[in-house]
Amino acid sequence: MALIVQKFGGTSVGSVDRIKAVAQRVQATVAEGHSVVVVVSAMGKTTDTLVALADEITDNPSRREMDMLLSTGEQVSIALVSMALQELGQPAVSMTGAQIGISTEAAHSRARILKIKTERLKRCLDGGNVVVAAGFQGISSGDDSINEFEITTLGRGGSDTSAVALAVALGGDHCEIYTDVPGILSTDPRIVPEAQLMAAVTSDEMLELASLGASVLHPRAVEIARNYGMSLVVRSSWTDDPGTWVRSAAVGNRSLENLEISRAVDAIRYDIHQAQVNLLHVPDRPGIAAQIFGELANAGVSVDQIVQSIHAGNTNDIAFTVREPMADQTQVLTESLAAALQPKGNDGCVVWSADRSVAEVSICGAGMIGRPGVAAKMFATLAAAGVNIEIISTSEVQVGCIIGPTSGETDLQELCDRAVAALKKAFDLEDPAQDTPPLLEDDPNLAPVCGVALDAKQSQIAIRQVPDRPGMAAQVFEKLAEDGISVDMIIQSQRRETKDGVPTRDIAFTLAESDVDTATQRLRGMATEEGWGAIAVSREIAKVSIVGMGMAARPGVAAQMFQALADRGINIHTITTSAIKVSCVIGRDRGKEAVKAIHDKFGLEQPPGGADPTNT
């Protein structure tokens, strides 16, 4: 007999008939011998109705009163579902977030879970009851008299978060997320109707997809599952199909205290066996990235990090890293590529260079998502240790930096040792970092790409001529974190320009378009004070990404993506990569077309081997 947590969203309990159907499904699970906790959302559009009522009263309702109001929606659902179960002869008891024992931060409308007191829940389950729990809500921990025992809500995706947290706290077998879709699809079916159901994904892949806009699961819920090794399954409320499993690797005995605010970083990785190659003044036109990385892939060169900087005039800079044993071959190929890419006329000259005295240092952890300032803390820590950053590459679960000794500094190993020691102290990590521990296994049986995602609600900000010295990236992103602004793709150009005798570089990043005005105002003030160059804002952009655990084992995956875009004449503005993701910034008006092209390029309309994914 297993303990299973089942979560049903608003559409799943949107009517009396649907509530009765949910009760029958829950009863069937109990009949199989399982203990069940059911987490439900508010019925249908109830939350929207309550928000509209508040808007009729005031244009600026307090967050406290909104939490008090919105928490009532789930209370209606839990009572009705409990009644429906009782009508079927199944003992059931409904509980609010406070009655369950979900203790949160005192942060109205966006609280995170601190701990769950499970004693009452366990007594009810031991008595043969199904516990029907209100999702999306909790109660503040009462750490002070002002915020004592306040009703709080968890924000968007809160019911998913509640369900996974309860499964973890109760030591459940797995958590089932029931929704109005059959599972997790290879892309948005509104863009590509042929999008296929995936039988299984890893939690790392799901974190990337969820953070890129795949709304079937909220990133916070996936983060908890990953951190505690909890398996999830996303299934349709309307059918008995098996859905999609989200698998997480087993973890040790991780404390349940501060469940959602435990450390953001749980590992540091470094690799001193890297070589960096730079191509500067590359023509800015569709197909260039595809040509470069296609040639490398054809020669069997496996590329790690790729960064394409913001354009300067009619050219871009592209930097990438390879493992040191491939450095000689890569240099020969790069020299040939630079010659082939030389522009005609007076448009400049492509320049290439290679540096074998570099290393990659990365921080990893699912807790980075939605926490402004984690990357800034890494940059500040490296700066304080006197370590300059050559390349920055980011994803939802990793921030990677290419570093190297400057003139007169220690050797590379000593530099890495200093950087890792500083990062371990800054992020309170006790376990020793290992030299190049694998982020994932090079398993050729894993699909190179499992999904394609589009985020069309992004903007990009570029800061020109920032002094090239340790600490500058930290200064930029610390200020943004103070305003609660989360940034995504961070790109530091390889091209150096001298301003008033000081070497400078450009720094660019993407962020939610809702934050762009605040960020721009803050940065323009800093630019004036610090003597930086212009602040350039690109609003009409989109980010298209591919995600897949099998990328590490297959050279040329990024090249295929770039070729798919080139075939449609879609120009790439910037590129960043991680071990399991490649992201490109393109024009927003080409976003849906790009998704269709990439989805087709990787054959995602057909499951591997033609198998039916629902029977895998």
Side-chain angles (χ1 to χ4, degrees), residues 100-115:
I100 296 167
I102 295 180
S103 178
T104 75
E105 301 172 303
H108 289 294
S109 79
R110 52 182 174 81
R112 290 180 294 179
I113 298 171
L114 300 177
K115 59 185 176 182

Side-chain angles (χ1 to χ4, degrees), residues 115 457 561:
K115 59 185 176 182
K457 296 182 179 179
M561 178 185 185

Side-chain angles (χ1 to χ4, degrees), residues 226-269:
R226 179 186 184 273
N227 285 342
Y228 290 93
M230 177 59 62
S231 291
L232 312 179
V233 59
V234 180
R235 303 176 65 183
S236 170
S237 297
W238 322 106
T239 72
D240 292 324
D241 293 340
T244 303
W245 282 90
V246 181
R247 303 291 189 186
S248 297
V251 297
N253 294 322
R254 187 165 184 157
S255 173
L256 293 172
E257 291 291 322
N258 294 325
L259 191 146
E260 264 204 287
I261 62 169
S262 57
R263 62 193 186 199
V265 175
D266 54 28
I268 298 171
R269 294 181 169 89

Side-chain angles (χ1 to χ4, degrees), residues 37-40 67 70-76 78-79 93-104 113-121 131-141 149-154 158-159 161-163 165-166:
V37 175
V38 181
V39 177
V40 295
D67 277 2
L70 297 182
S71 65
T72 64
E74 280 69 26
Q75 292 182 47
V76 172
I78 60 175
V93 58
S94 62
M95 291 189 185
T96 66
Q99 291 171 320
I100 296 167
I102 295 180
S103 178
T104 75
I113 298 171
L114 300 177
K115 59 185 176 182
I116 302 178
K117 300 175 181 178
T118 59
E119 292 82 2
R120 185 177 182 184
L121 266 172
V131 175
V132 184
F136 178 65
Q137 62 182 253
I139 191 167
S140 64
S141 58
F149 303 126
E150 289 285 305
I151 291 175
T152 55
T153 62
L154 309 184
S159 292
T161 304
S162 300
L166 281 168

